[in-house]
Every structure is written in structure tokens, then in C-alpha cells.
Amino acid sequence: MKIYKFGGASVKDASGVQNVAQIISAGNPAQLLVVISAMGKTTNALESLVDACFHKKNTLHEILSNLRNSHQSIINELFGETALMWVNEVENLFLELECLVDNENLQDDYDFLYDQVVVYGELISTRIVSAYLLSQGIRNQWVDSRNFILTNDRYRDARVDWTDTERVVTNRLLPLAQKNLIITQGFMGKGPKGESTTLGREGSDYSAAIFGKLLHAESVTIWKDVEGVMNADPKKFPDTQKIDHLTYNDAIELAYYGASVIHPKTIQPLKAANIPLFVKSFLNIDLPGTMVSDSGAPVSVPCKILKEDQLMLCISTKDFNFIAEDNLREIFAVFSENKIRVNIMQNSAIQLRCVIDNKENRHQPLLQALSNSNLEIDVIEGLKLLTIYKPTVNEKEAENIHGLGNILVQQNTGSAMHYVLR
Ligand code: ASP
Ligand code: MG
């Protein structure tokens, strides 16, 4: 069995869906489990729906009808007059979604509401693709991944309960997947009370890896609109090149520091089960792409990752005492409670500096919590974090770094150099 994962860009319009159907039928469909994301930018639109719902904005119904219209036009193009016959279920999902955002009882916990709402992007897209495959004579079974991926209730960043998930996947999903082409969703799971949960933005890669591991798949393929994993983002750096092979550790490091091709959590399950990952182009399926496994050499070209919109929290004690173990324990507890990941950190005797993504003002509650204590925090916004993995330090590289901004923090971790730039 093999796992395929198609992201939102691959199903952003009707011709995308047709292309996905072609790729599926070119494989051995009955031996595939296919994870499909929400279409195009649907998840972003659903995020603004959550926002409108939570803050009771009057844009709510407009967002909903735009979503309905964009999906309807893809459906019309794919099915024409026979649309109702094939995708009856989609209308029902929109009704459910409408009822959900109208239900005032669900609107006091933002993260909970978010998870109940955004999963509709994947539910709808997988229904459409599954129906289209059937209409083309490609037999498949649509399954709701919430029945299999069981998680805790850390909404928007749920943790998988591996024991329970393995049990249901083995008992319930494996027998189905051995016989049929399975179409399912990524990114979502089910919490302890039977509610929807999500694994974090772009989490479908991770779902594909979970299914890969638990179904003992031969391989996992992530189909992208790029040729494979590049050594830098071609939109930000000149002279980039495609990487043919990465070890699992290379891939984990690159994903962790922000190479956006692979979701950071994807590699661990695959490494544990020694399942190769392929990153291939859905625009040209004959290209070899990138392979991630431990059977080839580690990457040898320097890889550059530039993360923008970073901010640095400079944390010190109000009485100029040392930042010691007790402060650190308190600081990291607050980070964890607020679900904030530190990209890099550095400490001196009296100051701890942490660089984080500047996301939705998520650091504000953190500032509040810490300022109640004996700590003082300065925030520096508008920073970039440049990581050079496997650097060859030469003059040319140094020049390029200076071209990007002034270095505020510089760190060498052996396999990588990090620069915080302003
Ligand atoms: N649809 C979700 C997102 O856009 C999950 C995914 O695509 O991986 O974040
Ligand atoms: Mg997506």
C-alpha cells in the first residue's frame, strides 16, 4: 500500500481535481490511501469565518456564501447537469457548517470553535474528489479521518493518541484499505468528547505520515506544485537547486527551521517506521522529485531558509538579577500554555532572548502573564530569521547575509548557522 497526499494547491480548481484523478488512476488505485486538503485557500477563508463568528461580525454570511459559490462553480465544471446526483453530500455539509456558525453555544472558546469549523474545508473537498473519481469509474471509499486519528483536546494543535489511533487504524481502517482506494482528509482528528480537532496549519502531511506508519505503507508521496525540496525558496534566493535525496534528520532540521515544503511533524513517524517519503510535482509526474530516507547520503549543498515576520522577546528580571532556573521554568510554562514555539533562543546572565513567529498577536497574553511577575520584557518586531543548514562559510555567503539586514543575534549549532536580522 502507498499513501498519497495532495495539498490545497493541487485541487484549487476543476482542472486540478481532474489532474489529481489522473495521478491516482496512473498508480494502482486499490492499493492507495489518498489524503486531500481543503481546496485552494479554503482554510484561510474558514479562518476568517471563525473570526467573524467569534467576534459577531456581519461579514459572516458573505464569507459563507463566497465559500459556497467557489465550491459550487468547481462542482458545476466537474459534473455539469449531473451535479446533484454525485455531490448531494456537499450541500449537506454546507448546511451543517451554517448551523454550526449560528450556534451561539459554541462561541466562547475560540480554539474549540476553530476546530469545529475549519475541518469543513477538508470534508467538502474530499467529498468532491471522491465523487468525481466515482463519476469517472474509479471506485473508491470516502472515509472520515476523525474516526481514526484520535487526539487530545489541545485545539488547533492537537496531539495524537498513538495507542488508540493505532488500535482503530489496525482494526477498522487496514481491512478497508487493503481492498479499496481510500479517500480521506488530513489535518483533522477527533478529541476525547467526540469533537473535531486539528493538528495545526498544513497538518495534512503529518496525517499522511501517521497513516503511512500505522498502515505499514511502502511509501508516502506528497504531491506539490514544485519539483521537489529545493535548497532555498526560489522566490527569495537566486540560483536554487533541487535536492535529490535527504536523510530523515536533514528533513526534520529543515522543516523545523521553516522550510515550508514539509510540515515539521511529518518526518518522525516515517523515520520510526523507516518508510521513504517522496516529494513530487503534480504538474509533471515523470520528474523524480526528492526522496527522504536513510538509504542515501545526507544533503551536501547549503540550504537556506528565511522566515519573515519574526519577533524577539528580550526577557530580563526587574531587579537585574540573573535569569535562573526558576525564572526559566516560569517563562517556558507560559510559552507552553500559550502554544508558542520558540524558533531560537539565547541567554546571557541577565537576559533571555527568544525569537518567535509574529502570529495573530499570540504573544500578547504571554506578555501579560510574564509582566505580572518579576520579569521585564522588550519586544523587537519586524525581524527575519535566516537559517543556513550545512553552511560553507565563505565571503560570498557573508555578503549575502549582510544584504538581508543587520545581524542582531548569530548562532552556530554545528550543523546550522542562524542569524536574526533587522
Ligand atoms: N487545509 C489545511 C491548511 O491549509 C491543512 C493542510 O492543507 O495541510 O492548513
Ligand atoms: Mg492547505
Side-chain angles (χ1 to χ4, degrees):
M1 189 187 318
K2 291 182 180 168
I3 314 292
Y4 281 2
K5 181 261 170 173
F6 292 96
S10 66
V11 288
K12 69 177 193 313
D13 51 25
S15 65
V17 175
Q18 286 159 341
N19 183 49
V20 164
Q22 248 163 32
I23 296 175
I24 291 173
S25 59
N28 177 4
Q31 289 300 305
L32 285 179
L33 178 139
V34 181
V35 170
I36 300 165
S37 295
M39 294 178 147
K41 302 272 179 232
T42 300
T43 307
N44 293 359
L46 286 166
E47 282 186 342
S48 32
L49 184 69
V50 174
D51 192 64
C53 176
F54 190 78
H55 297 290
K56 313 224 179 322
K57 293 184 187 158
N58 52 16
T59 49
L60 191 134
H61 288 278
E62 186 190 326
I63 300 170
L64 206 52
S65 75
N66 287 343
L67 268 169
R68 196 191 280 267
N69 292 342
S70 62
H71 285 89
Q72 194 58 51
S73 67
I74 295 176
I75 290 172
N76 292 346
E77 211 176 319
L78 289 172
F79 301 95
E81 309 236 293
T82 61
L84 217 71
M85 188 171 113
W86 294 107
V87 283
N88 195 354
E89 198 50 47
V90 172
E91 189 46 39
N92 194 38
L93 289 168
F94 271 109
L95 276 177
E96 274 180 35
L97 180 58
E98 224 164 58
C99 295
L100 197 63
V101 293
D102 281 339
N103 183 347
E104 301 207 340
N105 295 327
L106 294 176
Q107 296 169 8
D108 43 308
D109 177 344
Y110 192 94
D111 291 353
F112 173 80
L113 175 69
Y114 180 103
D115 281 3
Q116 309 321 300
V117 169
V118 294
V119 295
Y120 278 85
E122 341 292 290
L123 290 169
I124 293 165
S125 74
T126 49
R127 280 291 186 190
I128 295 174
V129 176
S130 166
Y132 180 71
L133 291 167
L134 282 178
S135 77
Q136 300 302 299
I138 305 170
R139 263 188 41 195
N140 69 88
Q141 184 153 6
W142 179 95
V143 305
D144 186 330
S145 63
R146 288 173 296 189
N147 290 323
F148 304 107
I149 307 291
L150 306 179
T151 72
N152 68 2
D153 57 3
R154 192 178 157 104
Y155 304 117
R156 297 182 74 179
D157 187 24
R159 301 294 146 99
V160 174
D161 180 332
W162 282 93
T163 314
D164 287 353
T165 301
E166 174 156 27
R167 184 173 39 77
V168 282
V169 167
T170 308
N171 295 342
R172 302 258 152 72
L173 184 58
L174 183 63
L176 289 180
Q178 278 166 334
K179 298 196 291 273
N180 306 302
L181 164 61
I182 303 286
I183 302 296
T184 194
Q185 312 77 32
F187 173 56
M188 54 194 243
K190 182 160 72 183
K193 295 192 284 287
E195 73 280 39
S196 303
T197 57
T198 65
L199 306 173
R201 282 303 305 263
E202 308 301 332
S204 299
D205 293 359
Y206 181 41
S207 304
I210 298 169
F211 285 125
K213 178 177 184 207
L214 298 181
L215 293 168
H216 310 286
E218 199 181 305
S219 64
V220 172
T221 304
I222 298 180
W223 296 91
K224 308 269 312 178
D225 56 0
V226 291
E227 224 186 297
V229 180
M230 309 295 288
N231 74 326
D233 181 346
K235 288 183 217 114
K236 296 178 182 166
F237 294 95
D239 307 326
T240 54
Q241 58 187 98
K242 193 208 49 143
I243 301 168
D244 298 331
H245 183 270
L246 290 167
T247 61
Y248 294 113
N249 283 356
D250 287 338
I252 288 172
E253 295 276 349
L254 292 176
Y256 183 86
Y257 288 111
S260 57
V261 216
I262 308 170
H263 184 274
K265 286 187 188 161
T266 309
I267 306 298
Q268 276 115 343
L270 299 179
K271 178 179 158 87
N274 204 19
I275 296 170
L277 171 72
F278 295 95
V279 179
K280 282 174 68 93
S281 164
F282 61 73
L283 300 168
N284 187 348
I285 71 172
D286 296 325
L287 295 176
T290 298
M291 181 182 187
V292 181
S293 75
D294 274 346
S295 63
V299 65
S300 54
V301 290
C303 301
K304 290 183 195 166
I305 305 149
L306 186 66
K307 285 193 98 181
E308 308 202 40
D309 209 8
Q310 301 288 294
L311 56 83
M312 184 153 73
L313 305 174
C314 306
I315 308 172
S316 42
T317 57
K318 282 183 184 149
D319 48 16
F320 292 105
N321 259 324
F322 299 139
I323 289 272
E325 291 71 20
D326 285 350
N327 305 118
L328 291 173
R329 185 173 54 199
E330 182 193 353
I331 293 166
F332 287 110
V334 176
F335 274 103
S336 165
E337 278 153 27
N338 288 282
K339 300 175 191 168
I340 292 180
R341 206 193 83 181
V342 179
N343 293 332
I344 70 164
M345 61 187 140
Q346 198 166 57
N347 69 313
S348 66
I350 54 161
Q351 198 175 59
L352 172 71
R353 296 195 282 181
C354 298
V355 177
I356 62 173
D357 293 347
N358 187 6
K359 264 203 272 196
E360 306 158 19
N361 269 325
R362 283 205 161 204
H363 64 289
Q364 290 301 347
L366 182 129
L367 296 186
Q368 203 121 44
L370 291 179
S371 65
N372 293 335
S373 61
N374 184 36
L375 298 167
E376 197 163 78
I377 309 166
D378 274 332
V379 182
I380 309 177
E381 296 194 34
L383 305 178
K384 295 182 197 138
L385 172 62
L386 172 70
T387 296
I388 306 180
Y389 183 65
K390 304 277 174 82
T392 52
V393 181
N394 58 27
E395 301 249 311
K396 190 160 165 273
E397 220 119 61
E399 254 172 52
N400 286 342
I401 295 160
H402 286 297
L404 290 165
N406 294 324
I407 300 173
L408 292 191
V409 175
Q410 183 169 342
Q411 220 171 57
N412 183 346
T413 59
S415 60
M417 304 280 296
H418 304 283
Y419 302 90
V420 180
L421 306 162
R422 171 146 64 177

